[in-house]
């Protein structure tokens, strides 16, 4: 009995989604154009098959960039608070040194594994 509102919301979302898809199909353009049907990205015409294999290094570099970039975001609140609270500056400095040390260990590990070397 407690799930009836959830089921009603699920049914309403499904009906609204279906109606929108049906209306766009009925009201949308019907004539196809080979030039308009081509994939398009950044003004560069597509070359080759879209299902080609991509080196795992692209994904590895992207994930490492996100990892270190998100960790670098934590430097901004520290920089704001550091001058404001001079009484506990040593504690903040030690904690940030510990954080930077962990980052440095991770970065050295990535460098030793050769994850950032491009061949």
């Amino acid at each position: 009995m407690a799930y009836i509102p959830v089921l009603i919301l699920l049914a309403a979302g499904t009906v609204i989604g279906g109606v929108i898809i049906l209306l766009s199909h009925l009201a949308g353009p019907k004539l196809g154009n080979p030039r308009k049907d081509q994939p398009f990205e950044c003004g560069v015409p597509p070359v080759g098959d879209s299902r080609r294999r991509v080196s795992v290094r692209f994904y590895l570099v992207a994930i490492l960039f996100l990892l270190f970039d998100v960790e670098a975001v934590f430097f901004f609140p520290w920089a704001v608070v550091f001058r404001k609270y001079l009484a506990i500056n040593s504690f903040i400095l030690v904690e940030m040194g510990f954080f930077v040390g962990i980052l440095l260990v991770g970065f050295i590990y990535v460098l030793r594994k050769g994850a950032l070397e491009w061949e």
Side-chain angles (χ1 to χ4, degrees):
M1 195 58 113
Y3 293 109
I4 291 177
V6 175
L7 293 175
I8 292 172
L9 184 64
L10 184 65
T14 304
V15 168
I16 290 172
V19 167
I20 290 173
I21 291 174
L22 182 67
L23 285 176
S24 68
H25 177 71
L26 294 175
K30 303 289 189 273
L31 299 174
N33 185 345
R35 189 167 178 148
K36 283 186 174 181
D37 291 339
Q38 269 191 335
F40 180 78
E41 182 178 348
C42 302
V44 179
V47 177
D49 187 22
S50 64
R51 292 176 190 87
R52 68 179 179 178
R53 289 183 177 252
V54 178
S55 174
V56 73
R57 295 217 179 252
F58 287 108
Y59 301 111
L60 184 61
V61 168
I63 293 298
L64 289 173
F65 172 75
L66 287 175
L67 177 72
F68 287 110
D69 192 43
V70 166
E71 288 177 349
V73 169
F74 290 110
F75 284 113
F76 293 110
W78 174 71
V80 170
V81 170
F82 187 69
R83 280 200 165 214
K84 189 175 182 181
Y85 298 105
L86 293 173
I88 55 172
N89 246 354
S90 59
F91 176 74
I92 294 173
L93 191 61
V94 169
E95 289 295 319
M96 188 48 77
F98 186 67
F99 180 71
V100 169
I102 291 172
L103 279 179
L104 191 61
V105 167
F107 188 65
I108 291 171
Y109 175 78
V110 166
L111 284 177
R112 292 222 175 163
K113 285 293 186 177
L116 299 177
E117 293 178 8
W118 204 265
E119 298 171 358

